[in-house]
């Protein structure tokens, strides 16, 4: 399970961070998590892609990679509080632009 964001959302966050750094006199954290706060499995992403684009994806299920955590997704509350940022694109919209 992973948290995916659209590249445009990522770019917007970087622009907002730079603007905030230029304007702010106060301490800002060195890192801010970005994400939707929602995780999707690879099979959910494949299924959504196929439904959204009407294209089939060839895939093979293999063994779990050593060291992979079962689920990881962001808490973007700090991005909202400091940058007034949140994701604009949901999974279907992300995959439509692929």
């Amino acid at each position: 399970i992973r948290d995916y964001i659209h590249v445009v959302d990522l770019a917007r966050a970087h622009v907002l961070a730079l603007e905030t750094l230029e304007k702010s006199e106060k301490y800002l954290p060195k890192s801010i998590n970005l994400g939707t706060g929602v995780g999707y499995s690879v099979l959910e992403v494949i299924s959504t892609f196929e439904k959204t684009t009407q294209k089939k994806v060839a895939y093979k299920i293999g063994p779990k990679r050593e060291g992979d955590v079962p689920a990881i997704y962001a808490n973007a509350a700090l991005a909202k509080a400091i940058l007034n940022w949140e994701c604009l694109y949901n999974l279907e919209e992300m995959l439509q632009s692929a």
Side-chain angles (χ1 to χ4, degrees):
I1 308 293
R2 300 291 181 265
D3 189 349
Y4 299 93
I5 67 171
H6 195 284
V7 67
V8 171
D9 284 328
L10 178 63
R12 284 182 37 257
H14 281 84
V15 169
L16 288 169
L18 290 171
E19 290 172 354
T20 302
L21 283 170
E22 282 182 340
K23 296 175 191 172
S24 182
E25 300 275 329
K26 64 182 179 181
Y27 167 81
L28 294 174
K30 288 185 179 183
S31 61
I32 297 175
N33 288 329
L34 302 174
T36 63
V38 177
Y40 299 97
S41 72
V42 172
L43 289 177
E44 286 176 299
V45 173
I46 290 170
S47 172
T48 303
F49 179 84
E50 290 179 342
K51 183 181 92 180
T52 302
T53 65
Q54 301 300 307
K55 296 180 188 288
K56 291 303 251 173
V57 176
Y59 64 91
K60 182 172 108 179
I61 297 175
K64 181 181 171 188
R65 295 179 302 191
E66 189 176 328
D68 267 357
V69 295
I72 187 165
Y73 45 92
N75 176 347
L78 195 57
K80 177 69 173 163
I82 293 175
L83 306 176
N84 195 30
W85 177 91
E86 58 190 356
C87 286
L88 298 179
Y89 296 90
N90 64 33
L91 184 62
E92 285 184 4
E93 293 166 327
M94 284 183 249
L95 296 171
Q96 283 173 346
S97 70

